[in-house]
mmCIF file of all heavy atoms in Angstrom:
data_model
loop_
_atom_site.group_PDB
_atom_site.id
_atom_site.type_symbol
_atom_site.label_atom_id
_atom_site.label_comp_id
_atom_site.label_asym_id
_atom_site.label_seq_id
_atom_site.Cartn_x
_atom_site.Cartn_y
_atom_site.Cartn_z
ATOM 1 N N LYS A 149 0.830 -1.204 0.000
ATOM 2 C CA LYS A 149 0.000 0.000 0.000
ATOM 3 C C LYS A 149 0.866 1.257 0.000
ATOM 4 O O LYS A 149 0.548 2.244 -0.676
ATOM 5 C CB LYS A 149 -0.937 -0.009 1.212
ATOM 6 C CG LYS A 149 -2.110 -0.971 1.072
ATOM 7 C CD LYS A 149 -3.066 -0.871 2.250
ATOM 8 C CE LYS A 149 -4.267 -1.763 2.060
ATOM 9 N NZ LYS A 149 -5.229 -1.670 3.188
ATOM 10 N N ARG A 150 1.955 1.250 0.751
ATOM 11 C CA ARG A 150 2.844 2.418 0.766
ATOM 12 C C ARG A 150 3.455 2.673 -0.607
ATOM 13 O O ARG A 150 3.718 3.822 -0.961
ATOM 14 C CB ARG A 150 3.938 2.228 1.818
ATOM 15 C CG ARG A 150 3.464 2.411 3.246
ATOM 16 C CD ARG A 150 4.627 2.566 4.219
ATOM 17 N NE ARG A 150 5.418 1.357 4.332
ATOM 18 C CZ ARG A 150 5.177 0.388 5.225
ATOM 19 N NH1 ARG A 150 4.158 0.495 6.071
ATOM 20 N NH2 ARG A 150 5.955 -0.680 5.280
ATOM 21 N N LYS A 151 3.669 1.630 -1.363
ATOM 22 C CA LYS A 151 4.214 1.784 -2.706
ATOM 23 C C LYS A 151 3.152 2.179 -3.730
ATOM 24 O O LYS A 151 3.476 2.524 -4.857
ATOM 25 C CB LYS A 151 4.877 0.472 -3.155
ATOM 26 C CG LYS A 151 6.145 0.112 -2.411
ATOM 27 C CD LYS A 151 7.274 1.094 -2.709
ATOM 28 C CE LYS A 151 7.745 1.015 -4.135
ATOM 29 N NZ LYS A 151 8.889 1.921 -4.397
ATOM 30 N N GLY A 152 1.881 2.124 -3.342
ATOM 31 C CA GLY A 152 0.807 2.402 -4.283
ATOM 32 C C GLY A 152 0.489 1.221 -5.175
ATOM 33 O O GLY A 152 -0.191 1.368 -6.196
ATOM 34 N N TRP A 153 0.969 0.033 -4.810
ATOM 35 C CA TRP A 153 0.701 -1.174 -5.598
ATOM 36 C C TRP A 153 -0.610 -1.828 -5.189
ATOM 37 O O TRP A 153 -1.084 -2.735 -5.854
ATOM 38 C CB TRP A 153 1.838 -2.184 -5.433
ATOM 39 C CG TRP A 153 3.171 -1.701 -5.894
ATOM 40 C CD1 TRP A 153 3.428 -0.601 -6.668
ATOM 41 C CD2 TRP A 153 4.452 -2.294 -5.611
ATOM 42 N NE1 TRP A 153 4.782 -0.476 -6.881
ATOM 43 C CE2 TRP A 153 5.435 -1.498 -6.249
ATOM 44 C CE3 TRP A 153 4.854 -3.407 -4.892
ATOM 45 C CZ2 TRP A 153 6.798 -1.789 -6.177
ATOM 46 C CZ3 TRP A 153 6.212 -3.700 -4.812
ATOM 47 C CH2 TRP A 153 7.165 -2.903 -5.454
ATOM 48 N N LEU A 154 -1.177 -1.396 -4.091
ATOM 49 C CA LEU A 154 -2.409 -1.952 -3.552
ATOM 50 C C LEU A 154 -3.118 -0.805 -2.849
ATOM 51 O O LEU A 154 -2.473 -0.021 -2.152
ATOM 52 C CB LEU A 154 -2.076 -3.068 -2.558
ATOM 53 C CG LEU A 154 -3.177 -3.990 -2.043
ATOM 54 C CD1 LEU A 154 -3.841 -4.738 -3.189
ATOM 55 C CD2 LEU A 154 -2.607 -4.978 -1.036
ATOM 56 N N ASN A 155 -4.437 -0.658 -3.074
ATOM 57 C CA ASN A 155 -5.140 0.446 -2.429
ATOM 58 C C ASN A 155 -6.115 -0.066 -1.375
ATOM 59 O O ASN A 155 -6.191 -1.256 -1.109
ATOM 60 C CB ASN A 155 -5.848 1.332 -3.471
ATOM 61 C CG ASN A 155 -6.882 0.564 -4.276
ATOM 62 O OD1 ASN A 155 -7.666 -0.208 -3.729
ATOM 63 N ND2 ASN A 155 -6.908 0.780 -5.590
ATOM 64 N N ASP A 156 -6.854 0.848 -0.787
ATOM 65 C CA ASP A 156 -7.731 0.502 0.330
ATOM 66 C C ASP A 156 -9.134 0.105 -0.104
ATOM 67 O O ASP A 156 -9.967 -0.222 0.741
ATOM 68 C CB ASP A 156 -7.826 1.682 1.307
ATOM 69 C CG ASP A 156 -6.512 1.903 2.059
ATOM 70 O OD1 ASP A 156 -5.898 0.894 2.439
ATOM 71 O OD2 ASP A 156 -6.113 3.064 2.247
ATOM 72 N N LEU A 157 -9.425 0.144 -1.406
ATOM 73 C CA LEU A 157 -10.754 -0.244 -1.866
ATOM 74 C C LEU A 157 -10.976 -1.735 -1.624
ATOM 75 O O LEU A 157 -10.139 -2.572 -1.970
ATOM 76 C CB LEU A 157 -10.918 0.047 -3.360
ATOM 77 C CG LEU A 157 -11.360 1.449 -3.770
ATOM 78 C CD1 LEU A 157 -11.467 1.524 -5.282
ATOM 79 C CD2 LEU A 157 -12.682 1.825 -3.123
ATOM 80 N N ILE A 158 -12.109 -2.063 -1.031
ATOM 81 C CA ILE A 158 -12.462 -3.452 -0.791
ATOM 82 C C ILE A 158 -13.337 -3.934 -1.949
ATOM 83 O O ILE A 158 -14.318 -3.277 -2.298
ATOM 84 C CB ILE A 158 -13.219 -3.601 0.537
ATOM 85 C CG1 ILE A 158 -12.390 -3.033 1.687
ATOM 86 C CG2 ILE A 158 -13.581 -5.065 0.804
ATOM 87 C CD1 ILE A 158 -13.154 -2.939 2.987
ATOM 88 N N PRO A 159 -12.999 -5.043 -2.571
ATOM 89 C CA PRO A 159 -13.825 -5.540 -3.675
ATOM 90 C C PRO A 159 -15.247 -5.837 -3.225
ATOM 91 O O PRO A 159 -15.506 -6.041 -2.025
ATOM 92 C CB PRO A 159 -13.107 -6.825 -4.109
ATOM 93 C CG PRO A 159 -11.705 -6.657 -3.642
ATOM 94 C CD PRO A 159 -11.795 -5.869 -2.372
ATOM 95 N N PRO A 160 -16.195 -5.874 -4.155
ATOM 96 C CA PRO A 160 -17.573 -6.222 -3.789
ATOM 97 C C PRO A 160 -17.644 -7.614 -3.191
ATOM 98 O O PRO A 160 -16.835 -8.485 -3.511
ATOM 99 C CB PRO A 160 -18.317 -6.164 -5.125
ATOM 100 C CG PRO A 160 -17.442 -5.384 -6.039
ATOM 101 C CD PRO A 160 -16.039 -5.628 -5.590
ATOM 102 N N THR A 161 -18.605 -7.816 -2.325
ATOM 103 C CA THR A 161 -18.855 -9.147 -1.764
ATOM 104 C C THR A 161 -20.308 -9.514 -2.016
ATOM 105 O O THR A 161 -21.142 -8.665 -2.337
ATOM 106 C CB THR A 161 -18.564 -9.198 -0.259
ATOM 107 O OG1 THR A 161 -19.332 -8.178 0.404
ATOM 108 C CG2 THR A 161 -17.083 -8.971 0.012
ATOM 109 N N PHE A 162 -20.591 -10.799 -1.879
ATOM 110 C CA PHE A 162 -21.959 -11.277 -2.028
ATOM 111 C C PHE A 162 -22.715 -11.145 -0.708
ATOM 112 O O PHE A 162 -22.130 -11.245 0.362
ATOM 113 C CB PHE A 162 -21.968 -12.756 -2.436
ATOM 114 C CG PHE A 162 -21.429 -13.024 -3.808
ATOM 115 C CD1 PHE A 162 -20.188 -13.605 -3.973
ATOM 116 C CD2 PHE A 162 -22.173 -12.701 -4.929
ATOM 117 C CE1 PHE A 162 -19.701 -13.874 -5.236
ATOM 118 C CE2 PHE A 162 -21.690 -12.957 -6.194
ATOM 119 C CZ PHE A 162 -20.446 -13.547 -6.356
ATOM 120 N N ASP A 163 -24.002 -10.954 -0.817
ATOM 121 C CA ASP A 163 -24.882 -11.104 0.331
ATOM 122 C C ASP A 163 -25.000 -12.604 0.576
ATOM 123 O O ASP A 163 -25.691 -13.324 -0.137
ATOM 124 C CB ASP A 163 -26.248 -10.495 0.028
ATOM 125 C CG ASP A 163 -27.231 -10.658 1.173
ATOM 126 O OD1 ASP A 163 -26.891 -11.352 2.160
ATOM 127 O OD2 ASP A 163 -28.349 -10.121 1.085
ATOM 128 N N GLU A 164 -24.294 -13.088 1.601
ATOM 129 C CA GLU A 164 -24.177 -14.522 1.794
ATOM 130 C C GLU A 164 -25.492 -15.194 2.177
ATOM 131 O O GLU A 164 -25.614 -16.418 2.078
ATOM 132 C CB GLU A 164 -23.094 -14.822 2.831
ATOM 133 C CG GLU A 164 -21.705 -14.401 2.370
ATOM 134 C CD GLU A 164 -20.618 -14.821 3.335
ATOM 135 O OE1 GLU A 164 -20.955 -15.452 4.361
ATOM 136 O OE2 GLU A 164 -19.443 -14.520 3.068
ATOM 137 N N SER A 165 -26.457 -14.418 2.588
ATOM 138 C CA SER A 165 -27.748 -15.024 2.915
ATOM 139 C C SER A 165 -28.445 -15.566 1.669
ATOM 140 O O SER A 165 -29.387 -16.352 1.764
ATOM 141 C CB SER A 165 -28.660 -14.000 3.601
ATOM 142 O OG SER A 165 -29.004 -12.957 2.689
ATOM 143 N N GLN A 166 -27.957 -15.154 0.490
ATOM 144 C CA GLN A 166 -28.550 -15.611 -0.760
ATOM 145 C C GLN A 166 -28.067 -17.004 -1.164
ATOM 146 O O GLN A 166 -28.627 -17.615 -2.065
ATOM 147 C CB GLN A 166 -28.207 -14.635 -1.890
ATOM 148 C CG GLN A 166 -28.637 -13.203 -1.633
ATOM 149 C CD GLN A 166 -30.143 -13.059 -1.701
ATOM 150 O OE1 GLN A 166 -30.757 -13.358 -2.710
ATOM 151 N NE2 GLN A 166 -30.732 -12.604 -0.604
ATOM 152 N N PHE A 167 -27.014 -17.472 -0.522
ATOM 153 C CA PHE A 167 -26.413 -18.731 -0.934
ATOM 154 C C PHE A 167 -26.978 -19.909 -0.159
ATOM 155 O O PHE A 167 -27.327 -19.809 1.011
ATOM 156 C CB PHE A 167 -24.897 -18.698 -0.711
ATOM 157 C CG PHE A 167 -24.194 -17.728 -1.604
ATOM 158 C CD1 PHE A 167 -23.349 -16.769 -1.071
ATOM 159 C CD2 PHE A 167 -24.365 -17.766 -2.976
ATOM 160 C CE1 PHE A 167 -22.700 -15.872 -1.887
ATOM 161 C CE2 PHE A 167 -23.715 -16.880 -3.793
ATOM 162 C CZ PHE A 167 -22.880 -15.925 -3.256
ATOM 163 N N LYS A 168 -27.001 -21.043 -0.811
ATOM 164 C CA LYS A 168 -27.240 -22.277 -0.096
ATOM 165 C C LYS A 168 -26.018 -22.554 0.770
ATOM 166 O O LYS A 168 -24.891 -22.506 0.301
ATOM 167 C CB LYS A 168 -27.465 -23.427 -1.074
ATOM 168 C CG LYS A 168 -28.752 -23.315 -1.879
ATOM 169 C CD LYS A 168 -28.923 -24.520 -2.800
ATOM 170 C CE LYS A 168 -30.230 -24.423 -3.572
ATOM 171 N NZ LYS A 168 -30.400 -25.575 -4.486
ATOM 172 N N SER A 169 -26.233 -22.834 2.019
ATOM 173 C CA SER A 169 -25.129 -22.934 2.962
ATOM 174 C C SER A 169 -24.107 -23.989 2.556
ATOM 175 O O SER A 169 -22.916 -23.840 2.811
ATOM 176 C CB SER A 169 -25.654 -23.231 4.364
ATOM 177 O OG SER A 169 -26.388 -24.451 4.364
ATOM 178 N N SER A 170 -24.548 -25.063 1.929
ATOM 179 C CA SER A 170 -23.627 -26.138 1.577
ATOM 180 C C SER A 170 -22.815 -25.830 0.328
ATOM 181 O O SER A 170 -21.837 -26.504 0.038
ATOM 182 C CB SER A 170 -24.397 -27.446 1.372
ATOM 183 O OG SER A 170 -25.315 -27.303 0.300
ATOM 184 N N GLU A 171 -23.222 -24.826 -0.433
ATOM 185 C CA GLU A 171 -22.551 -24.515 -1.693
ATOM 186 C C GLU A 171 -22.294 -23.017 -1.794
ATOM 187 O O GLU A 171 -22.504 -22.409 -2.834
ATOM 188 C CB GLU A 171 -23.411 -24.968 -2.879
ATOM 189 C CG GLU A 171 -23.698 -26.451 -2.911
ATOM 190 C CD GLU A 171 -22.616 -27.230 -3.624
ATOM 191 O OE1 GLU A 171 -21.629 -26.596 -4.028
ATOM 192 O OE2 GLU A 171 -22.759 -28.452 -3.770
ATOM 193 N N LYS A 172 -21.855 -22.413 -0.714
ATOM 194 C CA LYS A 172 -21.704 -20.951 -0.679
ATOM 195 C C LYS A 172 -20.822 -20.466 -1.826
ATOM 196 O O LYS A 172 -19.726 -20.956 -2.031
ATOM 197 C CB LYS A 172 -21.105 -20.516 0.650
ATOM 198 C CG LYS A 172 -21.082 -19.007 0.824
ATOM 199 C CD LYS A 172 -20.618 -18.612 2.218
ATOM 200 C CE LYS A 172 -19.133 -18.855 2.402
ATOM 201 N NZ LYS A 172 -18.659 -18.285 3.690
ATOM 202 N N GLY A 173 -21.310 -19.513 -2.566
ATOM 203 C CA GLY A 173 -20.547 -18.953 -3.661
ATOM 204 C C GLY A 173 -20.799 -19.632 -4.989
ATOM 205 O O GLY A 173 -20.298 -19.186 -6.007
ATOM 206 N N ILE A 174 -21.609 -20.688 -4.998
ATOM 207 C CA ILE A 174 -21.840 -21.401 -6.249
ATOM 208 C C ILE A 174 -23.330 -21.411 -6.595
ATOM 209 O O ILE A 174 -23.730 -20.886 -7.616
ATOM 210 C CB ILE A 174 -21.294 -22.837 -6.170
ATOM 211 C CG1 ILE A 174 -19.782 -22.805 -5.892
ATOM 212 C CG2 ILE A 174 -21.569 -23.582 -7.467
ATOM 213 C CD1 ILE A 174 -19.170 -24.169 -5.684
ATOM 214 N N LEU A 175 -24.143 -21.992 -5.741
ATOM 215 C CA LEU A 175 -25.568 -22.089 -6.032
ATOM 216 C C LEU A 175 -26.331 -21.021 -5.259
ATOM 217 O O LEU A 175 -26.079 -20.795 -4.081
ATOM 218 C CB LEU A 175 -26.095 -23.484 -5.668
ATOM 219 C CG LEU A 175 -25.491 -24.637 -6.473
ATOM 220 C CD1 LEU A 175 -26.073 -25.968 -5.997
ATOM 221 C CD2 LEU A 175 -25.771 -24.455 -7.956
ATOM 222 N N ILE A 176 -27.267 -20.390 -5.915
ATOM 223 C CA ILE A 176 -27.947 -19.235 -5.348
ATOM 224 C C ILE A 176 -29.448 -19.500 -5.274
ATOM 225 O O ILE A 176 -30.047 -20.006 -6.219
ATOM 226 C CB ILE A 176 -27.657 -17.982 -6.205
ATOM 227 C CG1 ILE A 176 -26.146 -17.770 -6.249
ATOM 228 C CG2 ILE A 176 -28.367 -16.761 -5.661
ATOM 229 C CD1 ILE A 176 -25.686 -16.982 -7.415
ATOM 230 N N LYS A 177 -30.024 -19.174 -4.152
ATOM 231 C CA LYS A 177 -31.452 -19.386 -3.962
ATOM 232 C C LYS A 177 -32.261 -18.490 -4.901
ATOM 233 O O LYS A 177 -31.931 -17.329 -5.114
ATOM 234 C CB LYS A 177 -31.841 -19.075 -2.517
ATOM 235 C CG LYS A 177 -31.215 -20.020 -1.486
ATOM 236 C CD LYS A 177 -31.644 -19.599 -0.086
ATOM 237 C CE LYS A 177 -31.057 -20.517 0.962
ATOM 238 N NZ LYS A 177 -31.423 -20.108 2.334
ATOM 239 N N ASP A 178 -33.310 -19.049 -5.447
ATOM 240 C CA ASP A 178 -34.306 -18.273 -6.191
ATOM 241 C C ASP A 178 -33.727 -17.560 -7.406
ATOM 242 O O ASP A 178 -34.310 -16.620 -7.929
ATOM 243 C CB ASP A 178 -34.989 -17.244 -5.285
ATOM 244 C CG ASP A 178 -35.645 -17.914 -4.085
ATOM 245 O OD1 ASP A 178 -36.174 -19.026 -4.251
ATOM 246 O OD2 ASP A 178 -35.593 -17.325 -2.997
ATOM 247 N N SER A 179 -32.522 -17.948 -7.856
ATOM 248 C CA SER A 179 -31.928 -17.429 -9.092
ATOM 249 C C SER A 179 -31.675 -15.927 -9.070
ATOM 250 O O SER A 179 -31.720 -15.269 -10.101
ATOM 251 C CB SER A 179 -32.812 -17.790 -10.300
ATOM 252 O OG SER A 179 -32.926 -19.179 -10.431
ATOM 253 N N HIS A 180 -31.463 -15.363 -7.911
ATOM 254 C CA HIS A 180 -31.071 -13.950 -7.855
ATOM 255 C C HIS A 180 -30.151 -13.736 -6.659
ATOM 256 O O HIS A 180 -30.162 -14.522 -5.714
ATOM 257 C CB HIS A 180 -32.298 -13.031 -7.758
ATOM 258 C CG HIS A 180 -33.076 -13.206 -6.499
ATOM 259 N ND1 HIS A 180 -34.106 -14.105 -6.362
ATOM 260 C CD2 HIS A 180 -32.968 -12.586 -5.289
ATOM 261 C CE1 HIS A 180 -34.593 -14.038 -5.140
ATOM 262 N NE2 HIS A 180 -33.925 -13.131 -4.462
ATOM 263 N N PHE A 181 -29.336 -12.697 -6.752
ATOM 264 C CA PHE A 181 -28.431 -12.431 -5.635
ATOM 265 C C PHE A 181 -28.080 -10.950 -5.586
ATOM 266 O O PHE A 181 -28.289 -10.197 -6.541
ATOM 267 C CB PHE A 181 -27.169 -13.285 -5.722
ATOM 268 C CG PHE A 181 -26.378 -13.118 -6.983
ATOM 269 C CD1 PHE A 181 -25.336 -12.207 -7.063
ATOM 270 C CD2 PHE A 181 -26.649 -13.887 -8.104
ATOM 271 C CE1 PHE A 181 -24.599 -12.066 -8.218
ATOM 272 C CE2 PHE A 181 -25.913 -13.753 -9.259
ATOM 273 C CZ PHE A 181 -24.887 -12.845 -9.326
ATOM 274 N N LYS A 182 -27.528 -10.566 -4.440
ATOM 275 C CA LYS A 182 -27.163 -9.171 -4.195
ATOM 276 C C LYS A 182 -25.654 -9.045 -4.060
ATOM 277 O O LYS A 182 -24.980 -9.950 -3.591
ATOM 278 C CB LYS A 182 -27.825 -8.674 -2.909
ATOM 279 C CG LYS A 182 -29.338 -8.680 -2.922
ATOM 280 C CD LYS A 182 -29.883 -8.240 -1.567
ATOM 281 C CE LYS A 182 -31.409 -8.293 -1.539
ATOM 282 N NZ LYS A 182 -31.944 -7.903 -0.206
ATOM 283 N N LEU A 183 -25.148 -7.890 -4.449
ATOM 284 C CA LEU A 183 -23.752 -7.530 -4.223
ATOM 285 C C LEU A 183 -23.698 -6.415 -3.187
ATOM 286 O O LEU A 183 -24.622 -5.601 -3.081
ATOM 287 C CB LEU A 183 -23.090 -7.061 -5.514
ATOM 288 C CG LEU A 183 -22.968 -8.084 -6.644
ATOM 289 C CD1 LEU A 183 -22.348 -7.440 -7.875
ATOM 290 C CD2 LEU A 183 -22.142 -9.282 -6.200
ATOM 291 N N ILE A 184 -22.604 -6.380 -2.435
ATOM 292 C CA ILE A 184 -22.458 -5.388 -1.371
ATOM 293 C C ILE A 184 -21.189 -4.587 -1.603
ATOM 294 O O ILE A 184 -20.113 -5.152 -1.833
ATOM 295 C CB ILE A 184 -22.393 -6.070 0.012
ATOM 296 C CG1 ILE A 184 -23.690 -6.834 0.281
ATOM 297 C CG2 ILE A 184 -22.134 -5.044 1.116
ATOM 298 C CD1 ILE A 184 -23.647 -7.674 1.543
ATOM 299 N N ASN A 185 -21.298 -3.270 -1.549
ATOM 300 C CA ASN A 185 -20.139 -2.377 -1.589
ATOM 301 C C ASN A 185 -19.735 -2.091 -0.147
ATOM 302 O O ASN A 185 -20.457 -1.423 0.593
ATOM 303 C CB ASN A 185 -20.490 -1.083 -2.324
ATOM 304 C CG ASN A 185 -19.295 -0.136 -2.424
ATOM 305 O OD1 ASN A 185 -18.201 -0.444 -1.948
ATOM 306 N ND2 ASN A 185 -19.506 1.021 -3.056
ATOM 307 N N ASN A 186 -18.594 -2.588 0.256
ATOM 308 C CA ASN A 186 -18.136 -2.444 1.633
ATOM 309 C C ASN A 186 -17.360 -1.155 1.880
ATOM 310 O O ASN A 186 -16.792 -0.971 2.958
ATOM 311 C CB ASN A 186 -17.254 -3.637 2.003
ATOM 312 C CG ASN A 186 -18.012 -4.948 1.933
ATOM 313 O OD1 ASN A 186 -18.804 -5.260 2.806
ATOM 314 N ND2 ASN A 186 -17.775 -5.714 0.875
ATOM 315 N N ASN A 187 -17.312 -0.280 0.894
ATOM 316 C CA ASN A 187 -16.607 0.989 1.026
ATOM 317 C C ASN A 187 -17.596 2.114 1.281
ATOM 318 O O ASN A 187 -18.790 1.984 1.025
ATOM 319 C CB ASN A 187 -15.817 1.276 -0.257
ATOM 320 C CG ASN A 187 -14.874 0.141 -0.620
ATOM 321 O OD1 ASN A 187 -13.782 0.034 -0.099
ATOM 322 N ND2 ASN A 187 -15.306 -0.734 -1.533
ATOM 323 N N SER A 188 -17.098 3.233 1.771
ATOM 324 C CA SER A 188 -17.979 4.365 2.077
ATOM 325 C C SER A 188 -18.369 5.141 0.830
ATOM 326 O O SER A 188 -19.253 5.992 0.873
ATOM 327 C CB SER A 188 -17.286 5.304 3.072
ATOM 328 O OG SER A 188 -16.062 5.790 2.529
ATOM 329 N N SER A 189 -17.708 4.861 -0.291
ATOM 330 C CA SER A 189 -18.045 5.527 -1.543
ATOM 331 C C SER A 189 -17.724 4.583 -2.691
ATOM 332 O O SER A 189 -17.236 3.475 -2.500
ATOM 333 C CB SER A 189 -17.257 6.837 -1.690
ATOM 334 O OG SER A 189 -15.854 6.577 -1.685
ATOM 335 N N GLY A 190 -17.997 5.026 -3.915
ATOM 336 C CA GLY A 190 -17.733 4.215 -5.095
ATOM 337 C C GLY A 190 -18.970 3.463 -5.558
ATOM 338 O O GLY A 190 -19.985 3.384 -4.855
ATOM 339 N N GLN A 191 -18.880 2.925 -6.770
ATOM 340 C CA GLN A 191 -19.989 2.188 -7.364
ATOM 341 C C GLN A 191 -19.503 0.840 -7.864
ATOM 342 O O GLN A 191 -18.364 0.685 -8.294
ATOM 343 C CB GLN A 191 -20.589 2.973 -8.540
ATOM 344 C CG GLN A 191 -21.233 4.297 -8.134
ATOM 345 C CD GLN A 191 -21.686 5.084 -9.348
ATOM 346 O OE1 GLN A 191 -20.891 5.386 -10.231
ATOM 347 N NE2 GLN A 191 -22.974 5.404 -9.397
#
């Protein structure tokens, strides 16, 4: 980060409640899911 090779922006994450617990990140309930911006700004 001090070199500017990595910044403080956190990549988007999934709303994990949308996932089937046994297949988190692969199979999604009801064929829809949400993304979360964990930063105070940005799109």
